[in-house]
Amino acid sequence: MLNKAILMGRLVRDPEMRHTQSNMAVASFTLAIDRDRKGQNGERQTDFIDCVAWGRQAEFVCQWFTKGMLAIVVGRVQSRNWEDKNGNKRVSVEVNVDEVSFGETKKSREQNGGYTGGYDNGSQIRPEGNGSQAPAPSFDLPAGSSDFEELGDDDGDVPF
């Protein structure tokens, strides 16, 4: 069977870190993902997808991601049964995160004025986090540069 979800959306709020009884880190966060088509009233509709990261992925998410940041998540869809405070049985569907990566550079986030999508209630993004976290790494290249480097003359020898 195949169960793979690939999502790209903006965090609705800062990730929430918890630990299991065995001290395993667990991070919960929600992605807001705009649908491709507009609704009947002409406005974009947004889906809110709950995500859960474990261990080192959870620590990474909590250290580098904040509300409004664009994230790319790869994982699998899972459902779990639970009981609320009133004893009612509930079912939650969430994405169990295998990989998470930045969906935009810090520079593009700042150039877009901290765009948070249509689901935001008017509050501003804090591009550098809440002040207690280290700033996110910048992956910007100088203008006109490239990830690739020209190789010198080839002497024809195979390197292995």
Side-chain angles (χ1 to χ4, degrees), residues 9-11 64-71 102 104 109 125 127 136:
R10 294 192 182 274
L11 274 73
W64 296 110
F65 286 85
T66 59
K67 176 183 175 181
M69 290 181 70
L70 190 63
F102 298 101
E104 63 189 343
R109 199 170 55 249
I125 298 178

Side-chain angles (χ1 to χ4, degrees), residues 117-135:
Y119 58 88
D120 191 30
N121 62 6
S123 62
Q124 291 289 3
I125 298 178
R126 296 164 298 178
E128 296 297 329
N130 62 13
S132 64
Q133 298 174 337

Side-chain angles (χ1 to χ4, degrees), residues 8-12 30-34 46-49 116 119:
M8 183 167 76
R10 294 192 182 274
L11 274 73
V12 174
T30 301
L31 291 181
I33 303 170
D34 289 338
T46 304
D47 293 307
F48 297 91
I49 310 296
T116 60
Y119 58 88

